[in-house]
Amino acid sequence: MTATPASIKRIYYVLTVGNTLAASLIWGINTIFLLDAGLNNLEAFAANAFFTAGMVLFEVPTGIVADLRGRRASFLLGTLTLAVTTALYVLLWHLEAPFWQWAVVSALLGLGFTFFSGATEAWLVDALTATGFDGQLDAVFGRAQVFSGAAMLAGSAGGGYLAQLTNLGVPFVVRAGVLAVMFAVAALVMRDIGFTPDRAGRPLTEIRRIVTDSVDYGLRVPTVRYLMLAAPFVGGVGVYIFYALQPYLLDLYGDPHAYGVAGLVAAILAGSQIAGGFLTTRVRSLFRRRTSALIAAGVISVAVILLMGLVANFWLVLALIVVWGLLSAATMPIRQAFLNGLIPSRQRATILSFDSLMSSTGGVVAQPVLGRVADVWSYPASYAVSGVISAFALPFLALARAQGTPTDTAVTTTDAPSPIPPEADQAAAKATATP
């Protein structure tokens, strides 16, 4: 069938929904699952840190897969890896395995997700550009956010109550099954469009090229650099807040075995994500610059996170979670559209993966540190510290705004030229000429 912008968007939405549904089945119970396996808070969040460390470690190698074998091949490898490692998680839970085994398998879970990071989003943008799309990427990402939120709503709530009715391992088994289905779906409908894999490339040469591109088209471009430097503070704190909500809210609720409540909390965040996706276009219209929207949301988010730690009331914390989720969901598509408009097509998957790597790096450091704070003091104290850490992203967003790049105010950003400084452009030319 002839690819059209509409068909490309439909495939992207299907892939997004399937991935989110599979992942969210365990989001409401993951921390409880680790604690039930015999780990303490420090070990549980250290296991999560090994997951994010795996994402950092494998970002470049999996970026090579996306470039040499294609975005489709990368997606298929991701679903397969995640299905296998999810099954291994269940085995470790049954065996009450020692921490080092959790660390290894968690890092391999990170490997699975790195096959997705950058490649799927790059597939969408390249395919839309190749098929003549002339709409707003903000709207496409916003709609994907809505669909993803609906899948998260179903998965997180269903996973929580499934665990309560059966046991904590069943949602992980179901997750592996959904991933197997997504492997089959992607194999049938996903094709590389607007991008030709460089199958003749050499891995070592590609590693050098990816590192060079990450510097030349990423860190050497001021706006991209500042967005990426903000990512560790937002991403590192965000992943801790999400997973710590499970035991924290059960403490506030007064029943440590109410797994359905933990799943319901994740579902509430999913509902916020749906609403935030609908609000993306409205929020974008309130600000002339995308960076202004990101800064405003960042300031409010810092205040909300601090209040989560200061207000030890179940219902008030629940309301704050809704606000935090809305802010994140409404501004994420804006950031995606802004960043994509700064990256040339050929380097898109590489730079998006590097951006994901920067966010994951924050999670590697923040999760065990904040988990230790929760062990020594309390969950509320760890949330107060989280608010302080997240505030460090704001100066970098302000610096990104100060660059005044055209894509900050652009309406469409499907393939906008990257504002690469001459010295970086020359370095990139030399890198691509390397045999």
Side-chain angles (χ1 to χ4, degrees):
M1 296 178 62
T2 301
T4 64
S7 67
I8 295 300
K9 288 188 286 184
R10 281 196 298 269
I11 293 172
Y12 179 69
Y13 296 149
V14 168
L15 298 179
T16 299
V17 167
N19 272 3
T20 306
L21 178 63
S24 63
L25 282 165
I26 61 98
W27 281 350
I29 59 166
N30 182 69
T31 305
I32 302 169
F33 176 82
L34 295 174
L35 295 174
D36 188 69
L39 304 181
N40 58 33
N41 274 313
L42 173 60
E43 291 171 332
F45 286 104
N48 284 339
F50 270 95
F51 162 74
T52 48
M55 295 184 72
V56 171
L57 179 65
F58 295 116
E59 278 290 357
V60 170
T62 54
I64 294 172
V65 172
D67 287 339
L68 297 186
R69 297 298 173 185
R71 292 31 164 151
R72 175 177 179 268
S74 188
F75 186 94
L76 293 174
L77 283 171
T79 54
L80 185 62
T81 304
L82 283 177
V84 172
T85 49
T86 298
L88 286 175
Y89 243 44
V90 178
L91 178 61
L92 295 183
W93 175 69
H94 274 295
L95 298 176
E96 295 189 357
F99 171 75
W100 71 267
Q101 294 182 12
W102 288 101
V104 171
V105 177
S106 294
L108 293 175
L109 271 172
L111 167 64
F113 277 98
T114 58
F115 281 115
F116 297 131
S117 64
T120 312
E121 190 174 315
W123 175 86
L124 168 72
V125 178
D126 288 340
L128 286 178
T129 302
T131 53
F133 177 72
D134 60 357
Q136 293 190 48
L137 269 182
D138 308 63
V140 177
F141 287 130
R143 179 165 293 186
Q145 192 100 324
V146 172
F147 292 145
S148 178
M152 180 181 170
L153 180 65
S156 54
Y161 282 105
L162 184 61
Q164 188 166 320
L165 292 173
T166 54
N167 61 61
L168 287 166
V170 172
F172 286 81
V173 175
V174 176
R175 181 200 208 193
V178 174
L179 287 167
V181 172
M182 288 310 301
F183 179 90
V185 170
L188 288 173
V189 303
M190 194 178 184
R191 296 290 182 272
D192 286 318
I193 301 171
F195 173 81
T196 302
D198 183 12
R199 301 184 187 277
R202 299 176 182 178
L204 290 179
T205 301
E206 286 300 305
I207 289 177
R208 186 164 59 248
R209 181 189 65 78
I210 286 174
V211 172
T212 301
D213 284 352
S214 296
V215 173
D216 292 339
Y217 296 91
L219 296 180
R220 284 191 181 178
V221 180
T223 308
V224 178
R225 176 171 67 246
Y226 294 133
L227 285 175
M228 287 185 176
L229 289 175
F233 300 104
V234 177
V237 166
V239 69
Y240 173 79
I241 288 173
F242 181 81
Y243 285 115
L245 279 174
Q246 300 161 22
Y248 178 34
L249 284 169
L250 287 183
D251 282 349
L252 294 177
Y253 188 70
D255 183 357
H257 300 291
Y259 304 139
V261 171
L264 183 60
V265 169
I268 290 172
L269 271 176
S272 299
Q273 183 170 321
I274 295 172
F278 280 118
L279 290 173
T280 293
T281 305
R282 178 68 61 85
V283 171
R284 177 68 183 90
S285 68
L286 296 176
F287 299 89
R288 191 175 72 87
R289 296 179 180 274
R290 289 183 168 92
T291 46
S292 297
L294 297 178
I295 292 170
V299 170
I300 299 172
S301 291
V302 169
V304 168
I305 295 168
L306 288 171
L307 285 173
M308 285 185 193
L310 297 174
V311 181
N313 177 278
F314 178 81
W315 297 108
L316 288 177
V317 171
L318 212 58
L320 290 169
I321 291 169
V322 172
V323 176
W324 181 67
L326 278 172
L327 289 168
S328 177
T331 55
M332 181 57 70
I334 296 174
R335 184 184 186 277
Q336 287 175 293
F338 183 34
L339 186 58
N340 271 281
L342 296 165
I343 307 169
S345 175
R346 181 64 188 172
Q347 288 76 29
R348 185 164 282 129
T350 295
I351 305 305
L352 292 177
S353 289
F354 189 70
D355 179 54
S356 178
L357 181 150
M358 293 292 287
S359 180
S360 298
T361 300
V364 173
V365 177
Q367 290 186 89
V369 169
L370 294 171
R372 183 58 179 166
V373 171
D375 270 336
V376 174
W377 289 295
S378 64
Y379 285 115
S382 70
Y383 273 74
V385 174
S386 297
V388 174
I389 294 174
S390 64
F392 283 97
L394 298 176
F396 293 110
L397 293 176
L399 287 170
R401 185 184 187 281
Q403 304 309 306
T405 53
T407 51
D408 200 359
T409 56
V411 176
T412 63
T413 54
T414 49
D415 205 18
S418 178
I420 304 170
E423 65 273 15
D425 200 20
Q426 293 169 7
K430 292 179 181 178
T432 54
T434 302

